[in-house]
Amino acid sequence: MYQYGQSVMNVEGNRMATVQVPAQIPVPAFEEYEPAVDCPCPGCARQRRELAHRPAVRLGGPPAAHGARRALVLVTAAGVVLGGGTGAVGAAQSGGGLAGAAPAADTGPSVTPQGGTSGLHGRPHPGPAASPVSRADLPRTTRADIIQRAKLWAAEGIPYSMQKFWSDGYRQDCSGYISMVWGLASNEWTGSLQRFATRIDRKDLQPGDILLFHNAANPIKGSHVTIFAGWTDYRRTHYVAYEQTKPRTRRQVTPLAYWNNSDSYVAYRYNGLIPGDDGTSGSPGGAAEGVFPGAGMFGPGRSNQHVTELGRMLVARGASRFYRVGPGPRWGEADRRATQAFQLAQGWRGAEADGLPGAHTWRLLAQDRGRDVPAEPGAPRAAVPPFPGAGHFRPGQSNRHVEQLGRQLVKHGYGKHYRKGPTPRWGEADRRNVQDFQRAQGWRGAAADGYPGPETWRRLFR
């Protein structure tokens, strides 16, 4: 990761630009390649023509790469530092493209660094790679399910790769990530994702939609795609983005539409959304990001996707015993009892534990905070690994317990300070992530110093 004020060098050793990168922002990195000698796409053909007309090295021209693959790291800096204020804009930019331009023909993996279209696990593509896809042939899903699947890769920290495939069969790059969250039967690329979606205005973005930049003139220059998960401010200048980028899947507040090529990103909505799940009944932030959809969504007679999402979150927090069937979209006594059990676990009583979710209940569930629903009396409790001792979590320490702690923090959504990791070596990122978790428990002062004790350990691993 480049540090603040570090110069970016290309592979020939020539200085390109000094990029002022705010230290707290993980900066996306992309790879570019020499045009393939046998690729028929317009971008590669144009690059080959340009290379052919360059002056020879002895006449002052640039040294040729002779078809060898070379990587050029492009870094961009945010125009706005997270949390407010302005940052310096980086000088290194990738090539631009026209918003909404027609994609280049899908001629296979050589067209794009996303790996082209393929079946799961890299097998042959299950159908015509360039034909339109009807709504009837698409897997059905909800916005909540899309965000939930996006969270799975983010929690696992799936490493970015244009060649490797994760255990679920999807390619570990940005377009493979979208193929996974949409539940497609194939791995797509930035030039084919629009076959499964409808273009929309940015002002209409809802959680589960995507922002796509496909550089049709030259697909290998900067093409990328992110998942929109909700606005972070009323001005709608920033949003929560899930994306697959180097070094691994991440969730991050991102300027609209992206750090670079922002004007060229196009908003799309997946055509396989279950009818009625258009996001209009809830708040723009969406259920999966902790924005309460409103008390009117819950209670006797209510039936909607928010009831299903509530049930799923409650089950994940230990309330599965209240559901014989479900969770489902129709509100029932199981939902009320499960909600009440969670509220009682927080120490609430009376009207605060009436079994109907309010904004606080919803926020604790969606952000994986607060206390879980306790097991029934006499039921066996899940084993918590014994606390190894505070001495393992101090500057200079390196051991398996540090990495074990880090992975659990990421699993619960408290890994935002990691640029690289978790690793066995204790560092400031570990301390700050632990501190975030401790503060989420309501602790302050010495109880939230960022160094785990037995209670911090128990709550993370219970």
Side-chain angles (χ1 to χ4, degrees):
M1 179 62 64
Y2 292 99
Q3 300 300 315
Y4 190 90
Q6 182 172 349
S7 297
V8 181
M9 310 291 291
N10 67 7
V11 293
E12 282 85 14
N14 299 317
R15 184 176 301 276
M16 292 177 56
T18 297
V19 182
Q20 300 297 324
V21 180
Q24 67 268 42
I25 297 180
V27 180
F30 300 96
E31 286 184 346
E32 294 183 5
Y33 294 87
E34 289 293 335
V37 295
D38 58 348
C39 177
C41 82
C44 284
R46 179 173 58 80
Q47 285 198 54
R48 286 195 296 269
R49 289 195 298 272
E50 291 176 355
L51 290 174
H53 287 88
R54 286 180 179 177
V57 176
R58 60 185 175 83
L59 298 178
H66 298 295
R69 164 180 166 171
R70 63 186 177 123
L72 171 64
V73 178
L74 302 180
V75 294
T76 59
V80 179
V81 179
L82 303 186
T86 57
V89 178
Q93 295 284 337
S94 63
L98 297 176
D106 183 2
T107 54
S110 62
V111 172
T112 169
Q114 283 86 36
T117 56
S118 69
L120 301 187
H121 299 283
R123 300 188 182 101
H125 197 279
S131 61
V133 181
S134 68
R135 294 175 187 268
D137 295 332
L138 290 175
R140 293 310 216 196
T141 189
T142 66
R143 296 183 181 280
D145 286 338
I146 290 174
I147 298 298
Q148 190 60 37
R149 286 193 291 269
K151 285 183 174 182
L152 291 177
W153 272 33
E156 290 287 338
I158 308 300
Y160 180 89
S161 174
M162 296 179 292
Q163 292 83 31
K164 295 181 180 179
F165 297 82
W166 194 239
S167 57
D168 55 14
Y170 292 98
R171 195 176 53 248
Q172 296 168 214
D173 59 12
C174 64
S175 47
Y177 185 43
I178 303 302
S179 302
M180 182 275 295
V181 300
W182 283 354
L184 303 181
S186 56
N187 282 288
E188 300 299 323
W189 67 294
T190 56
S192 62
L193 284 171
Q194 83 287 341
R195 299 190 300 115
F196 304 85
T198 300
R199 181 172 178 173
I200 61 174
D201 290 333
R202 289 185 184 180
K203 63 181 177 62
D204 296 327
L205 279 164
Q206 297 289 343
D209 297 335
I210 65 170
L211 283 159
L212 171 69
F213 169 45
H214 175 67
N215 188 349
N218 193 346
I220 64 176
K221 293 287 186 180
S223 298
H224 190 51
V225 60
T226 71
I227 301 169
F228 177 89
W231 300 108
T232 63
D233 60 286
Y234 72 94
R235 295 171 299 174
R236 299 192 171 191
T237 61
H238 288 71
Y239 67 101
V240 175
Y242 284 90
E243 61 176 326
Q244 182 70 355
T245 187
K246 292 184 177 181
R248 58 184 57 84
T249 322
R250 71 179 183 184
R251 170 192 182 276
Q252 180 170 291
V253 175
T254 304
L256 186 71
Y258 201 65
W259 310 97
N260 59 335
N261 296 307
S262 180
D263 292 341
S264 298
Y265 275 77
V266 180
Y268 285 96
R269 177 163 297 158
Y270 178 55
N271 286 336
L273 286 175
I274 292 175
D277 187 13
D278 60 359
T280 56
S281 58
S283 187
E289 288 304 311
V291 179
F292 184 50
M297 296 292 109
F298 308 99
R302 299 291 187 252
S303 181
N304 53 72
Q305 78 271 16
H306 302 296
V307 176
T308 304
E309 178 66 11
L310 173 72
R312 288 174 177 170
M313 293 190 293
L314 287 165
V315 167
R317 301 299 296 274
S320 59
R321 68 177 183 271
F322 295 101
Y323 292 93
R324 293 184 179 180
V325 179
R330 182 172 295 280
W331 178 269
E333 181 63 13
D335 299 290
R336 190 197 67 78
R337 293 180 61 201
T339 302
Q340 186 177 49
F342 179 77
Q343 292 168 334
L344 291 171
Q346 313 313 306
W348 306 342
R349 296 295 182 268
E352 293 182 334
D354 60 359
L356 295 172
H360 195 188
T361 301
W362 186 268
R363 185 165 58 251
L364 290 178
L365 285 168
Q367 298 178 0
D368 197 18
R369 297 168 56 187
R371 300 182 180 91
D372 290 346
V373 176
E376 290 184 282
R381 296 179 64 87
V384 174
F387 180 59
H392 290 88
F393 309 102
R394 291 293 183 271
Q397 292 296 311
S398 181
N399 53 76
R400 65 181 180 86
H401 303 296
V402 174
E403 186 172 7
Q404 184 182 21
L405 173 79
R407 292 188 183 279
Q408 201 70 7
L409 286 165
V410 170
K411 179 180 178 181
H412 286 283
Y414 294 91
K416 70 178 183 180
H417 298 295
Y418 286 124
R419 291 186 183 179
K420 180 181 180 182
T423 69
R425 181 170 295 280
W426 177 266
E428 180 62 11
D430 298 286
R431 190 196 69 79
R432 294 177 69 187
N433 286 329
V434 170
Q435 187 175 52
D436 286 350
F437 177 80
Q438 292 169 332
R439 287 175 174 171
Q441 312 309 303
W443 305 340
R444 295 295 182 268
D449 60 0
Y451 295 99
E455 182 61 16
T456 300
W457 183 270
R458 185 186 69 81
R459 292 196 180 196
L460 271 172
F461 284 89
R462 67 185 177 187

